[in-house]
Structures are given as structure tokens and as C-alpha cells.
Amino acid sequence: METKQVKCKNCEKPYKEGFQFCPHCGQKTNDELTLSVLFYNTISNYFSFDARFLKSFIPLMIKPGYLAKKFIEGKRLMYLHPAQMYLFISVVFFFLFSFSIAEWEKEAVRFNEKIAKAPLQIDMPDEAKAELDSVKNMEVLKNLKNNKAILGLKDEDLKKADSIIQTDTDDINMSWDFNKKKIDSLIAVGAEENVIYKEMGMSDDASYFERRMYRGVLNLAKGTGAGNMLRRAFDAVPITMFILLPLFALILKIFYFRKGRYSYHLVFTFYLFSFLFMLFAILMAINRFVIEIPGWILTLIVLSTFFYFYFGLLRFYERNWFTTLLKGTVISTIFSIFVVITTVSLVLFGFMNA
């Protein structure tokens, strides 16, 4: 007797009647739309992710190279996928990091406002600078008070003068290479940027790079550049990390070229960067919401990440300790150079696009 065939509503391939799941695509044959059916995939995927993340968290933090080695050996459902873990942890890290960036941005704006008010710095002997002390400032204020009627000054004007004189400006050591007062006047009257650039000293045949640099300096002179510069640089960090991560895997491939394909080294890199982001995220969370961690402890923790990297290389690549130490040091040095170059590039990018 011939068994009745039915067609799957998902993949449209035939199968024998009576199956609870399609043998081709795995979809449940009973397609009655209930709340459980509607949210089954979402809930199951969420708790599957949650369970695998919890299983992966402890080995990630205390067993360097363990997860990468298990993934290469074929255990790819027990623990969270390396790319998935990296994406999840990086989102948490950048969310917490945004709070620090917001504070730094405010500080940068305040500092930039001080810079914008700084006059042209004039070099003078140390003896002459010593005379410009608090006593001298108080004499200036006293003369202003005694002659306020002649000068037409009000009490409010004297208060402003007092605040300016008493303001601590020792931290500002800004020297402008142009006539700051004239530039301020051009800004006040709404002069075109090209006119201001010329007055600042930009060449007639300025390149795109030179023009952007003068734009950054002008924004600093206006008192708006530092905050925008920091924000622009921060916005470029996630994209930069997606460049640095595969670059790090490429460096590993060069030093361990006999240990498999590029994807082999990329797995190790994903888990390593996940550990670094998770560690820094935990430190930021503690520092912000629990207790402020002393700077020397933070420094020791950051330096200890090299040992995590070293033991991870030992476990994952299975080489002797001396060769691993040598390669780990060279790899860290090369990558640090790229990080410095990237950091400088980000600052320049933020400055030129402030």
C-alpha cells in the first residue's frame, strides 16, 4: 500500500504523511499558529545563546586558548561561536565606554574653551614671569576698583574682572602662530573660512590635507574643536577594531604559518579580543558603579593581559615555552606599533573632521 505524500509548506519538498518534522528542512509539520509556535524560535535561540554564553564565560576568563582549541577540535555547539561572542561582548564594552567618552567630551570642551580664550603667548625671562604673581594681580584689581567711576565700570564688571584674574590658568600653555585677536574679529563678523585660513597662514595652493588641518585649528580657536574631535575619533573606533582584529590574525598566521588556515588563527583572535573587551568592560563597570579602582591596580591588570596571551599561545599552538615567549613578545610589539599608528590616525581624523 502506497504511503501518502505531503508537501512541506516551508521548503515545498515531499515527505511521508505522519512525520512531525520535515526531514528536509526540520520545520514542524503542525503549523497551527499559536503563541508558543510564534515565539518558539526566538525564545529557544535566546536561551540557547544564554546557556552557551554562561558555559563559555568562565573558560574565556581563566583558561587562555581553551575555547579556541575546543572549537578547532570540533566542539562548536557546546560553547558560544567565537564571532558571536566577540560581537556580543564588544557591544557591551562600547556601551559602557560611551559613558567615559561623554565625560571626556565635556572635559575636552571645557579645556578647549580655555584654549580659545588664551592670548598669544610671549616669551619672557623667568624673572619677569615671577613678577606676575597674585600680588600683582591684586594691584590691578585694586586700581580698577579705585578708578571704576572714571572708567565707567559697574560692580558686575568688577566681579567679572575679579573672576578672570583669580582664574587658574597655569594649565594653559597655548601659543598661536597667528594673530589670535584678528582671527577672533574675523570670526565675530562672520568672515568666510577661506579668508580666515589665509590670515592664519594657509598657502595659496593648499592641499586637501593642509586645508583640513587648518580647519581643525580654527575649530580649536573657536572653542568647539576638542569635543567634536573626541567624538569623531570615538565613532571610528568600532570600525578600526574590525580592521585590527583580522590584522592580528594575519600576524599570527605569519608566525604560525604551519598551524592551519587563516581561519584557524582568526578563531583564536576572536576569543582573545573577546577576553580583552570583557575584562575592560568589567573594570569600567566596577570603576563606575561600585568603587574607583586605583590607577596602579589598573596598570597591573592591563600588563597581566600579556601573560593571558602567552598562556593562550602555549595551549592553542602547543609549542615550547621559550619559542612561545619569543614569538608572543614579537607579535605583541608589532601589533602595538599598529595600534599606535591607528590611534594617531584616529586623532588626526577627529581633528581634521572636528
Side-chain angles (χ1 to χ4, degrees):
M1 179 174 162
E2 187 177 351
T3 306
K4 185 178 180 181
Q5 298 278 318
V6 293
K7 185 181 289 187
C8 175
K9 294 183 179 180
N10 179 53
C11 65
E12 298 186 351
K13 291 183 178 181
Y15 60 88
K16 295 181 181 180
E17 186 180 27
F19 281 25
Q20 294 184 353
F21 296 90
C22 173
H24 305 289
C25 68
Q27 177 170 288
K28 195 172 182 179
T29 57
N30 179 15
D31 61 349
E32 182 181 353
L33 189 60
T34 62
L35 285 176
S36 60
V37 171
L38 181 61
F39 293 106
Y40 172 76
N41 288 332
T42 302
I43 295 173
S44 62
N45 288 338
Y46 171 78
F47 282 107
S48 174
F49 169 87
D50 185 67
R52 283 182 293 148
F53 178 78
L54 293 177
K55 281 184 179 179
S56 306
F57 179 76
I58 298 299
L60 176 71
M61 301 306 293
I62 66 174
K63 292 184 176 181
Y66 177 83
L67 291 178
K69 189 170 183 62
K70 292 300 179 182
F71 188 86
I72 294 299
E73 290 175 353
K75 294 185 177 181
R76 299 175 184 176
L77 293 179
M78 181 179 297
Y79 303 107
L80 196 60
H81 190 280
Q84 191 177 8
M85 172 170 279
Y86 170 76
L87 289 173
F88 173 73
I89 293 177
S90 63
V91 168
V92 175
F93 169 79
F94 284 112
F95 172 73
L96 292 172
F97 192 44
S98 64
F99 290 101
S100 299
I101 286 294
E103 292 181 357
W104 296 345
E105 191 174 357
K106 292 178 181 178
E107 291 295 327
V109 170
R110 284 195 288 266
F111 183 73
N112 198 171
E113 289 174 351
K114 289 185 178 181
I115 290 178
K117 295 176 182 177
L120 178 65
Q121 182 178 326
I122 302 174
D123 293 330
M124 60 179 68
D126 293 339
E127 294 81 4
K129 290 181 181 179
E131 294 179 2
L132 298 176
D133 54 9
S134 59
V135 176
K136 191 71 174 179
N137 291 335
M138 293 306 297
E139 289 179 1
V140 173
L141 184 61
K142 182 179 179 180
N143 290 331
L144 288 176
K145 290 180 178 180
N146 293 336
N147 297 281
K148 70 175 184 177
I150 299 175
L151 298 173
L153 298 174
K154 300 178 181 179
D155 290 338
E156 295 179 358
D157 298 325
L158 290 175
K159 289 181 180 179
K160 290 181 180 179
D162 182 48
S163 63
I164 293 172
I165 290 174
Q166 298 301 330
T167 299
D168 181 13
T169 57
D170 291 339
D171 57 335
I172 302 297
N173 188 24
M174 185 69 189
S175 177
W176 302 101
D177 292 330
F178 49 83
N179 190 326
K180 180 66 164 51
K181 290 184 178 180
K182 192 169 183 179
I183 295 300
D184 290 339
S185 300
L186 291 173
I187 294 172
V189 299
E192 293 183 1
E193 288 188 350
N194 287 333
V195 175
I196 301 176
Y197 294 158
K198 294 290 184 183
E199 186 61 36
M200 293 169 64
M202 189 181 72
S203 56
D204 295 332
D205 56 345
S207 63
Y208 173 81
F209 179 79
E210 182 182 354
R211 181 176 291 274
R212 302 297 289 189
M213 290 298 291
Y214 271 96
R215 179 183 176 182
V217 174
L218 177 59
N219 286 330
L220 286 176
K222 290 179 178 178
T224 60
N228 292 337
M229 179 179 70
L230 191 63
R231 174 55 55 185
R232 295 276 186 174
F234 172 69
D235 290 341
V237 169
I239 299 175
T240 306
M241 292 309 304
F242 277 102
I243 299 173
L244 289 177
L245 188 146
L247 176 63
F248 187 84
L250 179 61
I251 297 173
L252 289 176
K253 171 63 178 174
I254 293 173
F255 279 83
Y256 294 97
F257 61 93
R258 295 180 180 176
K259 287 294 291 184
R261 299 177 179 179
Y262 174 75
S263 56
Y264 184 96
H265 310 281
L266 194 59
V267 169
F268 179 85
T269 304
F270 271 128
Y271 281 122
L272 175 63
F273 275 59
S274 296
F275 163 76
L276 293 175
F277 279 177
M278 177 57 72
L279 176 64
F280 295 148
I282 292 173
L283 292 177
M284 282 190 293
I286 294 174
N287 211 36
R288 174 165 295 277
F289 303 113
V290 182
I291 187 174
E292 185 174 352
I293 304 175
W296 66 272
I297 294 181
L298 289 175
T299 302
L300 288 177
I301 293 175
V302 171
L303 291 177
S304 69
T305 57
F306 174 78
F307 295 99
Y308 181 96
F309 173 54
Y310 169 69
F311 288 114
L313 291 177
L314 272 178
R315 174 178 275 132
F316 188 71
Y317 291 106
E318 298 178 338
R319 293 290 186 265
N320 66 73
W321 70 269
F322 181 76
T323 301
T324 302
L325 179 62
L326 183 62
K327 287 187 175 183
T329 303
V330 176
I331 291 171
S332 300
T333 303
I334 294 174
F335 186 69
S336 297
I337 293 173
F338 280 108
V339 170
V340 171
I341 294 173
T342 303
T343 303
V344 173
S345 300
L346 283 177
V347 172
L348 284 176
F349 172 80
F351 180 77
M352 294 169 62
N353 293 274

